[in-house]
């Protein structure tokens, strides 16, 4: 299974939803908290092209935010990305 990475902050409700989504599906993920580290914020923006959180990656593939994650799941694309 490919590595799932979530760029997140402590107060982001959509970050919590994304983590709950993966928890319910028993999918492990690495969380990168960008709250207090400008270098991590810069890294996230460079990788995703976005400034909002969460930013979710499966392997090197940029899924996007929480809404994008749910859309991938509803379209049946998520399982294929994880393999």
């Amino acid at each position: 299974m490919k590595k799932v990475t979530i760029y997140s902050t402590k107060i982001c409700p959509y970050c919590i939803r994304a983590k709950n989504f993966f928890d319910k599906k028993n999918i492990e993920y690495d969380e990168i908290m960008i709250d207090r580290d400008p270098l991590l914020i810069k890294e996230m923006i460079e990788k995703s092209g976005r400034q909002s959180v969460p930013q979710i990656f499966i392997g090197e593939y940029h899924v996007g935010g929480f809404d994008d994650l749910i859309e991938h799941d509803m379209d049946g694309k998520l399982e294929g990305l994880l393999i």
Side-chain angles (χ1 to χ4, degrees):
M1 186 170 283
K2 289 185 182 167
K3 178 181 171 183
V4 175
T5 304
I6 304 173
Y7 286 86
S8 178
T9 64
K10 291 180 184 176
I11 61 169
C12 166
Y14 288 101
C15 299
I16 293 167
R17 288 182 177 180
K19 292 183 287 185
N20 286 340
F21 173 87
F22 285 119
D23 288 342
K24 286 180 183 176
K25 291 191 172 279
N26 293 316
I27 298 170
E28 292 184 24
Y29 55 87
D30 290 335
E31 182 177 18
I32 299 175
M33 300 296 287
I34 66 166
D35 295 279
R36 295 188 178 137
D37 191 336
L39 293 177
L40 291 176
I41 295 169
K42 183 179 177 186
E43 174 186 288
M44 180 192 77
I45 293 169
E46 286 175 358
K47 285 179 74 176
S48 69
R50 298 183 183 179
Q51 297 180 6
S52 60
V53 287
Q55 290 304 317
I56 303 163
F57 290 84
I58 298 176
E60 295 298 314
Y61 178 77
H62 178 230
V63 174
F66 175 72
D67 292 338
D68 302 308
L69 173 65
I70 297 305
E71 189 173 318
H72 276 74
D73 187 48
M74 291 175 62
D75 290 345
K77 297 177 183 176
L78 187 62
E79 293 298 321
L81 291 172
L82 291 165
I83 298 172

